[in-house]
Amino acid sequence: MSRHMKWNLWLPIIMVVVVLMIGLRQITVHPITGYILCFADLIYLIISIIHYEYMEKLISGEMLSAGFEQSQVQKNLLKELPIPYVLTDREGMIIWFNRSFQEMAGEKAGKKNITQIFSSLYKKVFPQKGTSKDFCITLGESKYRVECRSVVLNGLESAAEESGQPGQEESGDVMLAFYFFDETQLIEYREESRKKSLVAGLIYIDNYEEVLENMEEVRQSLLLALVERKIVKYMQGLDAIIKKFEKDKFLFVFEEQNLEKLMESKFSILDDVRMINIGNELSMTLSISVGVNAPTYIENYESARIAMDLALGRGGDQAVVRDGDSISYYGGKTQKVEKSTRVKARVKAHALREIMLTHDKIFIMGHKIPDADCVGAALGIYRLSQTLGKKTYIVMDKDCPAIAPIVDGVMRDKDEEELVFVSNEMALQLRDKSSMLIMVDVNRPVMTECPEFLKQEQTIVILDHHRQANDTVKNAVVSYIEPYASSTCEMVAEILQYIPDKPKLRTIEADALYSGILVDTDNFVIKAGVRTFEAAAYLRRAGADVTRVRKMFREDFDHYKIHADIINRAEVFMEEFAISTFDGRGLIGATVVGAKAANGLLNVKGIRGSFVITQLDNCIYVSARSIDDLNVQIIMEKFGGGGHLTVAAAQMKDVTVSQAEEKLKRLLISMKEEGDI
């Protein structure tokens, strides 16, 4: 019996003692009254003892009977519980299970250990003492959510309470209680609901104007009809509703379950439209974007619109699927066609000038390890800002050997009080509310010279020719990103021509802009279009000297020998890829040497793409180059890098040269088998 029950039965006995003490005191005062109280107390004592003996046995019997009945009821309830339930020891050895678990496990219920029944359950995932964990497991075709609770059993619980000693619970035995909740139907309903949800998408014809202006008028209508028929027929095969809302733009909506078909085909409509040829000199290309898994249909459309901006920013002729923060790319195998019109350049030039006029301080920042294109574009914008009478600074933390001739020339030509280049720390100190930032030759925050400065600045302008990635700066007030451009220097040269103030370039600045075009086009061989030569002509008139630029970027003899050695050690992989490695630790300008060697390997007959893996002090640098039909950008993106269709690069950390080479080879094999390259 419990202590509380015993105290309740002993209460009459206590009252006997109290009355007896009162009676003995009364004997000395009123003897008759005292003797009567003592006599009555004696009778009450006898009755209380008899009542205690009788009630103790009766209550004990009732409690035992009730406890037994309760135990039987609980046992039957657990046995017949519709939820499968099993008890094991801390090792997973089965101690007891109910009927539902037996029906669920079938013949496997006879196993001694629960890990033998469910392969996804093992000792390391079991919860610790007094905790619980949830698991998702599959048994046959059924899916279960398993709630596992760790229960501490202590046979000395009452003794621990009396002694008041802590830590007794930890010495008890541990049992694991598993509850199995069948969620097969729930998961099926969720999956069915997800498949039936609507997905929004957009289709743009990338080069509508460029294709039609080079065709006979009688064939233009036929070409557009064929393209539109291809698009509508393809979408009807996906049970999609498609609507043309502009001459070159389509909106479509379909169920999410059909998105898998679209992704499995890798958006074959891109190739189907590109193959249409009825005498057109240029092939029509499409950009497709899909927004999925947003909370509302409006947000799905907005996600598709953002994905379309990304597809166009990467050069078009590709599909982008945006699932929340996850983005997938398909296609992108062709080179972006250069636009003959300069309307966009003129509009961006005027917008840039207006924004610069509203700020007092202009900061210009490029990417880490700046090259000729980066510093050349920065100097072009620097001259524009100076012409507008603004305080201007180029953020460059460390000198780079690749641009040392340009930097030295700028330092010799500048005024004594003029501060052109500033470090990251100085830039952070100089910035204030009246400042703005212009990013050149980069559109990814992690690749900038000073990401911290980027976080603090509110007004940001981007001028770049690289294809956009997932982490492009989102809050830019002006974003001029043109993947078709040969270089950022070409874009800046065009902008300078449309500025009413007519900035007058210094000789070193014109040389820097010209050298940026020269390096990025590999002496006007790669991506050199009509506008590239027009920009070069403008710079030549501004004072750029071809011979002076050539002398400026002549190679050291040691670098020339290393360059030749890299080419000599190159391996031809899969009969179409050239791969070479070299140790660039301690070598000034090692990445530039690797990039030049990658360019040189493209001169080998039959080589579609070249890759040079350079080992630096803290990372592995990969330079990738191709002629025209191989998109090295999507290859480098697999390693976290990026670039252009024919020029790209990536950095890998925590790997050796041999490991990087092996990863590259495995990637080339898999992408070749899947038809991505």
Side-chain angles (χ1 to χ4, degrees):
M1 290 175 28
S2 69
R3 291 186 310 218
H4 302 291
M5 189 64 72
K6 286 183 178 181
W7 275 108
N8 208 29
L9 293 175
W10 272 89
L11 187 59
I13 310 275
I14 296 171
M15 292 301 298
V16 168
V17 176
V18 174
V19 174
L20 179 61
M21 293 175 64
I22 295 173
L24 291 174
R25 186 175 180 182
Q26 286 295 323
I27 289 175
T28 59
V29 181
H30 301 285
I32 296 174
T33 305
Y35 285 121
I36 292 172
L37 281 174
C38 289
F39 181 72
D41 191 39
L42 179 61
I43 294 172
Y44 183 69
L45 174 62
I46 294 170
I47 294 171
S48 297
I49 292 173
I50 295 171
H51 176 267
Y52 177 81
E53 291 293 332
Y54 174 76
M55 291 303 295
E56 183 182 28
K57 292 179 181 179
L58 181 63
I59 292 173
S60 297
E62 290 291 338
M63 290 178 66
L64 288 172
S65 176
F68 179 75
E69 290 177 6
Q70 184 182 10
S71 176
Q72 289 298 318
V73 170
Q74 289 178 345
K75 184 176 180 181
N76 289 333
L77 285 174
L78 284 174
K79 196 74 176 177
E80 301 301 328
L81 190 68
I83 298 174
Y85 175 81
V86 61
L87 276 174
T88 72
D89 62 11
R90 69 176 72 196
E91 302 295 328
M93 299 300 294
I94 297 176
I95 299 173
W96 183 88
F97 55 84
N98 66 356
R99 188 170 298 168
S100 297
F101 179 81
Q102 188 174 18
E103 293 174 356
M104 178 191 74
E107 297 178 357
K108 293 183 178 181
K111 302 286 186 181
K112 292 183 178 180
N113 199 301
I114 195 170
T115 58
Q116 295 177 312
I117 303 175
F118 306 101
S119 58
S120 57
L121 292 178
Y122 46 93
K123 183 180 176 182
K124 289 184 178 180
V125 301
F126 291 160
Q128 302 299 318
K129 293 182 181 180
T131 61
S132 62
K133 280 187 179 181
D134 285 355
F135 309 100
C136 292
I137 63 171
T138 301
L139 184 64
E141 296 181 355
S142 301
K143 296 177 176 62
Y144 295 90
R145 179 178 64 84
V146 183
E147 184 179 327
C148 179
R149 296 182 180 178
S150 176
V151 183
V152 180
L153 300 180
N154 189 356
L156 302 176
E157 183 179 355
S158 59
E161 289 181 1
E162 293 178 359
S163 63
Q165 296 178 1
Q168 292 291 333
E169 184 179 342
E170 296 183 0
S171 63
D173 293 331
V174 175
M175 295 182 66
L176 301 175
F178 292 86
Y179 303 85
F180 296 81
F181 301 93
D182 191 347
E183 295 188 343
T184 306
Q185 284 189 335
L186 178 61
I187 293 173
E188 289 177 356
Y189 292 150
R190 286 176 178 171
E191 184 65 19
E192 187 68 21
S193 175
R194 184 189 66 81
K195 289 181 178 179
K196 292 294 182 182
S197 62
L198 295 181
V199 171
L202 295 167
I203 299 177
Y204 287 6
I205 300 176
D206 296 326
N207 49 355
Y208 182 90
E209 299 289 349
E210 287 77 15
V211 173
L212 296 185
E213 70 182 12
N214 292 313
M215 286 187 66
E216 300 176 5
E217 289 189 15
V218 293
R219 295 189 179 185
Q220 290 179 3
S221 299
L222 177 59
L223 176 64
L224 293 175
L226 288 173
V227 171
E228 189 170 342
R229 183 173 178 274
K230 281 275 187 185
I231 294 173
V232 172
K233 187 176 180 181
Y234 186 82
M235 287 300 162
Q236 286 177 345
L238 300 170
D239 294 329
I241 300 173
I242 183 165
K243 180 68 177 176
K244 182 179 181 181
F245 63 94
E246 284 188 31
K247 60 182 180 180
D248 57 349
K249 295 180 176 63
F250 300 82
L251 169 68
F252 63 90
V253 179
F254 62 94
E255 293 180 346
E256 189 175 336
Q257 60 184 347
N258 293 319
L259 179 60
E260 296 178 2
K261 300 178 185 177
L262 200 60
M263 295 170 71
E264 286 175 2
S265 68
K266 296 186 178 179
F267 293 81
S268 58
I269 183 66
L270 296 172
D271 297 325
D272 295 342
V273 171
R274 198 187 309 114
M275 295 299 293
I276 297 176
N277 191 333
I278 57 170
N280 45 300
E281 296 179 5
L282 299 175
S283 297
M284 270 198 170
T285 61
L286 302 179
S287 289
I288 305 175
S289 66
V290 178
V292 62
N293 285 337
T296 64
Y297 295 137
I298 293 177
E299 291 182 50
N300 261 343
Y301 172 75
E302 183 64 20
S303 181
R305 191 190 62 77
I306 294 172
M308 178 56 72
D309 291 340
L310 192 57
L312 295 174
R314 291 166 57 86
D317 188 32
Q318 58 192 282
V320 179
V321 179
R322 191 171 189 264
D323 184 354
D325 293 331
S326 174
I327 299 177
S328 304
Y329 302 100
Y330 300 86
K333 298 180 180 180
T334 60
Q335 181 69 47
K336 179 78 179 262
V337 178
E338 182 184 37
K339 296 184 182 295
S340 57
T341 174
R342 290 196 190 182
V343 174
K344 190 174 183 180
R346 177 175 55 82
V347 171
K348 296 295 183 181
H350 285 210
L352 175 61
R353 179 180 179 275
E354 292 300 319
I355 293 173
M356 293 175 72
L357 287 173
T358 61
H359 293 78
D360 296 330
K361 291 183 180 179
I362 312 295
F363 289 89
I364 307 165
M365 182 166 62
H367 53 74
K368 297 176 182 176
I369 315 178
D371 54 11
D373 187 33
C374 179
V375 71
L379 287 171
I381 298 298
Y382 177 87
R383 181 48 49 201
L384 167 60
S385 180
Q386 290 287 87
T387 303
L388 298 176
K390 305 297 180 180
K391 294 180 180 179
T392 315
Y393 310 97
I394 298 176
V395 183
M396 186 183 297
D397 199 25
K398 295 180 179 179
D399 292 336
C400 180
I403 59 171
I406 298 177
V407 174
D408 293 341
V410 171
M411 299 305 289
R412 286 194 303 267
D413 196 42
K414 75 179 185 68
D415 299 331
E416 292 184 4
E417 69 281 358
E418 190 177 2
L419 184 62
V420 181
F421 301 102
V422 296
S423 65
N424 296 352
E425 293 78 11
M426 187 178 295
L428 291 170
Q429 294 174 2
L430 289 172
R431 73 163 298 277
D432 53 32
K433 293 181 180 179
S434 65
S435 64
M436 66 171 290
L437 173 65
I438 301 176
M439 295 170 52
V440 294
D441 202 35
V442 64
N443 60 66
R444 299 177 61 187
V446 294
M447 300 295 292
T448 56
E449 181 69 50
C450 184
E452 184 63 30
F453 188 93
L454 188 64
K455 293 177 183 178
Q456 297 183 17
E457 193 57 62
Q458 299 298 320
T459 306
I460 300 172
V461 174
I462 302 175
L463 303 175
D464 189 24
H465 70 125
H466 295 98
R467 292 189 174 195
Q468 296 184 57
N470 302 352
D471 56 347
T472 303
V473 176
K474 302 295 190 300
N475 59 338
V477 293
V478 173
S479 180
Y480 187 21
I481 302 175
E482 291 294 356
Y484 68 80
S486 68
S487 58
T488 311
C489 286
E490 175 189 324
M491 297 168 61
V492 171
E494 289 184 346
I495 288 174
L496 293 176
Q497 295 177 65
Y498 287 108
I499 299 297
D501 307 89
K502 299 298 178 184
K504 183 174 177 57
L505 293 170
R506 293 178 177 177
T507 302
I508 184 61
E509 293 166 348
D511 286 347
L513 283 162
Y514 188 86
S515 64
I517 297 176
L518 204 64
V519 170
D520 271 27
T521 59
D522 193 18
N523 294 318
F524 298 100
V525 172
I526 301 173
K527 292 181 65 179
V530 174
R531 291 172 64 174
T532 308
F533 288 101
E534 289 176 351
Y538 161 74
L539 295 173
R540 184 72 182 87
R541 291 192 300 270
D545 187 276
V546 179
T547 304
R548 191 167 54 240
V549 171
R550 182 180 178 184
K551 288 181 178 179
M552 190 184 300
F553 287 95
R554 284 189 296 180
E555 200 169 10
D556 292 340
F557 186 61
D558 292 337
H559 286 191
Y560 191 81
K561 290 193 294 184
I562 295 172
H563 174 270
D565 184 57
I566 295 171
I567 296 176
N568 185 51
R569 290 188 288 105
E571 169 194 359
V572 178
F573 182 66
M574 297 176 65
E575 299 182 353
E576 55 184 353
F577 305 115
I579 301 175
S580 187
T581 63
F582 91 102
D583 189 349
R585 289 175 293 185
L587 179 67
I588 298 176
T591 56
V592 177
V593 175
K596 289 182 177 179
N599 284 330
L601 286 169
L602 289 179
N603 294 324
V604 179
K605 191 174 182 179
I607 297 298
R608 291 180 61 207
S610 62
F611 304 87
V612 175
I613 302 172
T614 305
Q615 182 175 2
L616 301 177
D617 293 331
N618 55 354
C619 67
I620 300 296
Y621 188 90
V622 184
S623 295
R625 300 290 187 271
S626 67
I627 297 292
D628 56 356
D629 63 337
L630 175 66
N631 188 345
V632 291
Q633 180 204 7
I634 61 174
I635 299 174
M636 291 296 99
E637 282 182 341
K638 300 292 185 180
F639 296 128
H644 299 281
L645 186 140
T646 57
V647 179
Q651 295 181 20
M652 290 186 281
K653 294 185 177 181
D654 301 322
V655 294
T656 62
V657 172
S658 58
Q659 290 173 339
E661 184 178 4
E662 186 61 29
K663 287 177 67 175
L664 175 61
K665 289 181 178 179
R666 287 199 303 267
L667 179 62
L668 291 174
I669 292 172
S670 65
M671 294 184 74
K672 183 73 173 178
E673 292 175 350
E674 294 172 3
D676 292 333
I677 57 175

